[in-house]
Amino acid sequence: MNYKYKISTFFIFLVVLFSACQDLDMEMETAVDDNLMWNNPSYIDRYVVDLISTMPNGFKPEEFGNGIFYANATDEAENSNATALVQNMNTGNWNSVTNTNQAWNKYYRGIYKVNLFLEKAKDINYETYTPSQRDIFLQRLEYYKAEARFLRALFYYELIKYYGGVVLIGDESIQLMEELDKPAFDASRSSFTDCAEYILSECDYLIDNELLPLLDEGADQGRPNGTAVKAIACKTNLLLASTVYNMSITEGSAEQMAYWKEVLDLAQEIAFDKVFTFGPYDQFDGTSPEIILGYRQKEINYIEKANFPVGCEGVNTVGSSCPTQNLVDAYRMANGMKIDEAGSGYDPNNPYAGRDERLLHTVIVNGSHWDERNTSSRTVEIFRGGRDGMDRDYGTKTGYYLRKYLDPTLDLRQGQVSNREWPIFRFADIVLIWAEAANELYGPSTLGESYLTAITLLNQTVVRHGGLPEIPLNSLSQSEFRERLREERFIEMAFENMRAWDLRRWGIAPQVLSQPVYKMEVTKSVDGSYNYQKQMLEDRYFETHMNLYPIPQREVNNGLVQNAGW
């Protein structure tokens, strides 16, 4: 038996139990009273809410801190703080003992808490309540059990996205030291495919038994729902179709096509559940009809504190997530042409005019209109010497600030706050995945067993959100469509923590993330005109073994096999 690993596992369970006690305002000296903890409906409600709070929150990634987006570790953005931890990802200065293993800790803690709840739920009977109350509470308990299984599947999905195959512990939980003899707590890593199949089996159970309502059937948008279950299954199959993650298949094989067919079928089902519900591109306040599942936070302003233009009053100095010129250049002209195409109409002296509508919904550029505190209208001055200039402390390094997600009406000096929702699963993402699957199976213009062609699907976001003309049917080959879709995902899903994982599953992360990132140098002439000059900002570093994160070193020391290259 590997007792070091088992003791490590038990320590995490102690952390879970301690967390539960804190949530219930108990004192640790009194220990956990099962009758108090597990037969009080309000305590169980709070326990499940705490489980839900473990869902991914891209506004506050575990690795990097409040308001520092994962986009800073891709070609989407550069953090304006040179000492920010996220910079280590760009220089290759990360390994099995750095802060990049926080996902492992977070999601295993969540899995252990789910298993503890499901084990305790077996003995919950609410026998002290009246029959009518008891029936209500027991019905709610069944719903909570379904939510817990959903969350466990989501946590495992996040783990395999980071690490590949991980340790599957099933339903096992422990409360006493002697229970460490259970085989689940002396297990090695399972294969990636075994982990993925486990996630899919959990999703199938929830779907087949209709244990969670579909989002359009009244499910709370901030809680697990049946449509989100299908989204987990869809995106798990998407990883199974990737030869980077699923090393047992080859590109173009029948096995890969079978996974693509599963992706297609699930994406179509989700679209039917949502009845093609698109909403405004920049709506992330908890009211967007596009959000299938979101992490909701009420009354916050840390995103604004970190990312408002530096000339705003009340900002802090953690460093802004500044969009790169690489991202800005990807936005096409409103006529659908790339900016470097002959006849596109792109004007290097007025570089942001006539572009894809999403550009100015995502990026603050020099000259952007800014209604500060909703009372003081001004122009953002990114030029050197300007109020928000690149030469200011913690000013943008790239010539841009982030606009997406921010509420410019907040007066940070007064501590004003507003609501925000991180999109864990968004409808536009699923539609683009459907388009990708349709193209891989049937090409861009053939229906096959898809209800819509790949090009028709791609046009949904190109036209609705970008304001660009439709891409004509039969205008792209399969390989050309593949590149166009990857460009569209870069733009549509910007700053939604998709880019890093898209590049990995496509197998092109080493090529893309090892390329330099660029900035726009902005200067102001004496006559008041601006000069824009694209310049290289920095080299980036990414090697093939970085497609998967390293297993935390303490776990390797306790017997787990490390990912190759680490």
Side-chain angles (χ1 to χ4, degrees), residues 436-457:
E436 186 175 355
N439 182 60
E440 296 301 326
L441 288 164
Y442 314 119
S445 304
T446 302
L447 275 175
E449 294 185 41
S450 176
Y451 284 92
L452 296 170
T453 66
I455 280 186
T456 301
L457 291 164

Side-chain angles (χ1 to χ4, degrees), residues 334-368:
N335 57 21
M337 300 177 72
K338 292 184 176 181
I339 62 172
D340 57 358
E341 285 187 66
S344 70
Y346 175 72
D347 181 359
N349 296 314
N350 191 15
Y352 315 117
R355 303 286 291 274
D356 183 312
E357 293 176 3
R358 289 168 292 189
L359 173 58
L360 297 183
H361 286 304
T362 308
V363 181
I364 296 172
V365 305
N366 184 60
S368 284

Side-chain angles (χ1 to χ4, degrees), residues 7 29 50 86 94 212 279 313 348 372 442 505 513 523 553:
I7 291 171
E29 290 80 11
D50 181 67
V86 70
W94 55 297
L212 291 169
E313 297 181 49
E372 193 158 349
Y442 314 119
R505 68 179 178 84
L513 297 183
T523 55
Q553 190 60 42

Side-chain angles (χ1 to χ4, degrees), residues 402-415:
L402 179 65
R403 175 62 185 88
K404 195 171 185 177
Y405 304 119
L406 303 186
D407 182 355
T409 69
L410 297 186
D411 187 344
L412 299 181
R413 303 171 309 168
Q414 303 298 323

Side-chain angles (χ1 to χ4, degrees), residues 99-367:
N99 67 307
T100 53
N101 60 28
Q102 293 304 309
W104 182 280
N105 301 337
K106 173 180 178 176
Y107 294 118
Y108 266 116
R109 189 176 297 117
I111 290 166
Y112 294 145
K113 292 182 76 171
V114 167
N115 285 4
L116 179 63
F117 168 69
L118 292 175
E119 181 65 26
K120 289 295 185 181
K122 295 176 183 177
D123 298 321
I124 296 173
N125 53 36
Y126 297 125
E127 60 184 6
T128 61
Y129 293 89
T130 65
S132 60
Q133 287 178 311
R134 185 171 179 267
D135 288 343
I136 293 171
F137 293 150
L138 287 174
Q139 184 177 11
R140 184 185 301 169
L141 180 65
E142 290 303 308
Y143 180 72
Y144 287 163
K145 287 160 64 176
E147 287 191 314
R149 291 186 70 160
F150 167 93
L151 291 167
R152 184 171 60 186
L154 177 62
F155 300 157
Y156 270 120
Y157 167 75
E158 289 295 321
L159 284 168
I160 67 171
K161 188 174 72 175
Y162 277 87
Y163 302 101
V166 295
V167 180
L168 291 173
I169 60 174
D171 294 323
E172 294 292 355
S173 64
I174 57 174
Q175 297 174 76
L176 302 173
M177 183 66 80
E178 53 263 31
E179 292 182 289
L180 284 170
D181 287 332
K182 293 179 179 179
F185 301 110
D186 194 44
S188 58
R189 294 174 64 188
S190 296
S191 69
F192 169 78
T193 52
D194 284 348
C195 293
E197 291 300 330
Y198 172 78
I199 295 168
L200 293 174
S201 69
E202 287 291 284
C203 292
D204 287 344
Y205 174 80
L206 293 169
I207 294 168
D208 293 345
N209 292 284
E210 298 181 347
L211 297 178
L212 291 169
L214 297 179
L215 186 58
D216 288 342
E217 294 178 353
D220 188 327
Q221 200 170 40
R223 300 184 75 111
N225 60 76
T227 309
V229 176
K230 295 177 183 179
I232 295 176
C234 180
K235 301 197 84 166
T236 300
N237 275 292
L238 194 65
L239 294 183
L240 281 165
S242 165
T243 57
V244 171
Y245 282 96
N246 187 355
M247 299 178 189
S248 66
I249 63 172
T250 57
E251 201 66 48
S253 64
E255 292 84 359
Q256 186 185 49
M257 292 302 109
Y259 288 124
W260 277 121
K261 184 60 167 58
E262 290 294 323
V263 172
L264 178 85
D265 290 344
L266 285 160
Q268 289 185 152
E269 282 190 41
I270 294 167
F272 298 152
D273 290 346
K274 290 287 291 176
V275 197
F276 263 81
T277 306
F278 283 93
Y281 175 71
D282 58 347
Q283 188 173 336
F284 295 98
D285 60 358
T287 63
S288 173
E290 281 203 31
I291 304 299
I292 295 170
L293 178 67
Y295 188 106
R296 289 186 166 187
Q297 289 194 280
K298 292 184 177 181
E299 300 181 345
I300 61 171
N301 62 15
Y302 65 80
I303 309 167
E304 286 77 14
K305 283 185 175 181
N307 293 290
F308 267 6
V310 72
C312 297
E313 297 181 49
V315 299
N316 59 24
T317 56
V318 299
S320 300
S321 297
C322 304
T324 62
Q325 191 63 42
N326 307 51
L327 174 64
V328 172
D329 283 349
Y331 291 86
R332 294 186 173 226
M333 300 299 293
N335 57 21
M337 300 177 72
K338 292 184 176 181
I339 62 172
D340 57 358
E341 285 187 66
S344 70
Y346 175 72
D347 181 359
N349 296 314
N350 191 15
Y352 315 117
R355 303 286 291 274
D356 183 312
E357 293 176 3
R358 289 168 292 189
L359 173 58
L360 297 183
H361 286 304
T362 308
V363 181
I364 296 172
V365 305
N366 184 60

Side-chain angles (χ1 to χ4, degrees), residues 25 47 95 116 223 330 342 391 399 454 467 536:
D25 298 319
Y47 189 91
N95 52 54
L116 179 63
R223 300 184 75 111
D391 49 348
M536 191 182 88

